[in-house]
Amino acid sequence: MDFQTAYRELHPGLHRFALRLTGDADVADDIVQESFTRLVSQDMPLEEAKSWLYVVAANLVRDRARNRQRRGRLLEATPPMPSMPEAADVRVERLERIARVRRALAELSERDARLLLMREEGFKYAEIAEVLGVKSTSVGALVARALKRFARAYGSEDEVDATPD
Amino acid sequence: MQHLTESDLQAWIDRELASGDQPRVSGHLEDCAACRRELGELRRVSEVFSAAMHAYDDDLTAATPAVAAVARRPFGILSSSRVGRAAAIFLVAAAAVAAAVVPGSPLREIWEPEAAEPAAIARPGTRPVEEIVSPVGASITIRPREGRLTVRVRDFAPGTRVLVRLSEGSAAVASLPDGAENARFIVASGVLELVGPGNRTAKPDEGEEIEILLPRTLTAAVVEIDGRAVARVTGGKLVSLGPVVRDSVGEAVFDIGG
């Protein structure tokens, strides 16, 4: 696989992964850009690049959060306002939905958030295990528990929303 | 009776069970209602997560229109207005120089005029479905056609099974026998959004299974196997049209070559 092919195949998923982790398109752009830039300088078969890129991207997300001491704010971050005119109620509803997902993701540990997002990108258990430094035989249980935790946090907001005034 | 573990059940859902464990797990599931319930719960939370992520992608993309455009460009930061822009431009310029002067540099290809427009988030209208290249060989394709969503499965080896299932999520998803996922179509608010290349070829392998998830909210969808419609979704229900191996509410299994 040449670099161009690797880029074409891996860019969308890596960008989605970074975007979901950060909730910020500009930050995700920077992280994906930086990850591919680092890949160029690696002496690594491109076939093996996928896992490596996700590790780098996830670490960059973490480093940014730490360096700026704003992890909490990152998780609460709301994206920039769209440039197209949009009804205020539509915009508000969208921002509320985004915040709801981010709050549910914030209920997960960093490892579990990575775990679920990598699974969502189609990584095999063995690949996830290698990236996260866990046993591949543990991945299934970790996935199950993390999914339940996410669903509980995400679903509990429905219950709150459904509470009469 | 010892029940299956969460690990067993999740690995079953994710097709990660070791082949030696499959008879034990499937045999237990046939006999144990409690484990089937737990399996259903794990499937449910998995779909909750997937649906939340796809809606989240939708919302993030809609809230930041630059996402799709940037995602389609190699080194998309070129269009970024962020503080790191200058540094990024320097990096890109340096890479361009390297590409120009270093023989065999992989970057050379990136700077070719037709270079890398990665498959990215696109909406109908910005990426006509006709642009999707028809795959050759065993393949699975999801695309809108004549106002409905069509999932085509072609030329897989006899013995391949196709599981069609309704989901509560907002995405139509096809998973290939190798575990890789085909393109998703996000169906929300009347918008059909393609994420991914739209189709994919696969190496046929006898006895494997393809899983197709179709959102219950689809107004019209059809699944074709080798040119023959075998199932459709209408009014929130899955209707089998072809010979089925197994059929239950919201789920049907078809054999290829049967």
Side-chain angles (χ1 to χ4, degrees):
Chain A
M1 190 193 302
D2 59 24
F3 189 90
Q4 180 180 340
T5 305
Y7 187 90
R8 290 172 69 110
E9 289 191 4
L10 300 179
H11 184 285
L14 189 66
H15 190 273
R16 192 163 49 238
F17 176 74
L19 182 60
R20 286 170 171 176
L21 275 178
T22 62
D24 184 317
D26 285 334
V27 172
D29 281 343
D30 285 355
I31 284 168
V32 173
Q33 151 78 13
E34 174 66 16
S35 302
F36 275 104
T37 301
R38 292 187 185 188
L39 176 65
V40 171
S41 61
Q42 291 294 309
D43 182 17
M44 175 190 298
L46 289 172
E47 287 75 10
E48 297 172 13
K50 185 176 178 184
S51 297
W52 186 89
L53 279 168
Y54 278 72
V55 172
V56 170
N59 288 341
L60 287 170
V61 170
R62 185 185 55 204
D63 291 347
R64 267 176 190 265
R66 282 182 180 164
N67 291 342
R68 298 182 184 187
Q69 296 183 329
R70 66 198 244 320
R71 181 168 192 274
R73 277 176 292 170
L74 254 183
L75 290 172
E76 295 298 326
T78 52
M81 292 295 111
S83 56
M84 296 290 288
E86 186 179 48
D89 57 337
V90 173
R91 187 167 65 239
V92 167
E93 282 177 13
R94 177 178 300 123
L95 294 178
E96 283 176 354
R97 286 196 301 269
I98 290 171
R100 178 187 179 196
V101 173
R102 298 207 64 70
R103 283 193 294 272
L105 283 173
E107 290 294 312
L108 306 178
S109 67
E110 181 183 293
R111 181 198 68 186
D112 286 352
R114 290 186 187 188
L115 173 85
L116 292 189
L117 293 177
M118 289 185 71
R119 172 180 172 271
E120 192 69 10
E121 289 300 327
F123 278 86
K124 296 286 196 186
Y125 282 9
E127 295 170 317
I128 294 173
E130 188 181 347
V131 167
L132 299 183
V134 298
K135 290 179 184 174
S136 61
T137 50
S138 305
V139 173
L142 293 174
V143 166
R145 287 167 203 162
L147 284 172
K148 286 180 176 176
R149 199 171 304 126
F150 177 89
R152 251 195 322 271
Y154 188 69
S156 67
E157 300 208 9
D158 274 343
E159 292 164 18
V160 171
D161 291 345
T163 305
D165 294 330
Chain B
M1 177 167 57
Q2 185 159 1
H3 291 297
L4 297 172
T5 63
E6 280 184 329
S7 179
D8 284 333
L9 293 169
Q10 191 63 50
W12 173 266
I13 291 170
D14 292 338
R15 297 199 189 91
E16 290 273 0
L17 265 185
S19 55
D21 287 333
Q22 288 173 5
R24 171 179 63 85
V25 172
S26 62
H28 184 92
L29 282 171
E30 280 182 20
D31 296 337
C32 179
C35 285
R36 283 200 301 276
R37 276 196 300 276
E38 179 64 11
L39 182 70
E41 171 62 9
L42 287 173
R43 277 190 169 144
R44 186 190 70 79
V45 294
S46 186
E47 286 175 9
V48 165
F49 183 76
S50 289
M53 287 302 111
H54 300 150
Y56 179 48
D57 293 342
D58 250 3
D59 284 333
L60 285 171
T61 304
T64 54
V67 172
V70 170
R72 280 194 291 274
R73 288 192 193 97
F75 294 83
I77 199 166
L78 275 171
S79 63
S80 169
S81 59
R82 294 182 55 76
V83 176
R85 184 179 180 187
I89 289 173
F90 171 78
L91 275 174
V92 171
V97 170
V101 300
V102 179
S105 165
L107 285 172
R108 279 177 177 272
E109 296 184 12
I110 287 188
W111 307 105
E112 293 295 327
E114 70 280 15
E117 178 160 326
I121 298 167
R123 288 184 180 278
T126 60
R127 186 182 177 202
V129 291
E130 288 74 18
E131 286 183 15
I132 300 172
V133 178
S134 293
V136 176
S139 65
I140 186 162
T141 306
I142 310 180
R143 67 176 63 173
R145 191 181 65 171
E146 297 168 1
R148 64 188 181 184
L149 195 68
T150 301
V151 182
R152 285 178 176 162
V153 178
R154 287 182 180 276
D155 298 329
F156 280 83
T160 304
R161 288 200 161 176
V162 181
L163 166 64
V164 181
R165 197 151 55 85
L166 287 182
S167 79
E168 302 303 327
S170 61
V173 181
S175 301
L176 292 161
D178 64 3
E181 196 173 82
N182 191 40
R184 298 163 180 270
F185 273 92
I186 311 297
V187 185
S189 307
V191 175
L192 198 60
E193 181 176 64
L194 169 64
V195 182
N199 59 45
R200 187 171 156 171
T201 56
K203 186 178 173 185
D205 199 350
E206 187 174 345
E208 293 188 311
E209 187 174 273
I210 296 164
E211 184 175 34
I212 297 168
L213 292 181
L214 296 173
R216 196 182 292 278
T217 51
L218 277 174
T219 51
V222 63
V223 178
E224 293 178 2
I225 297 176
D226 294 328
R228 187 179 61 183
V230 296
R232 65 185 167 90
V233 175
T234 180
K237 293 182 178 173
L238 180 68
V239 180
S240 301
L241 306 173
V244 293
V245 175
R246 194 176 72 238
D247 199 3
S248 59
V249 176
E251 186 172 304
V253 178
F254 303 89
D255 244 345
I256 288 178

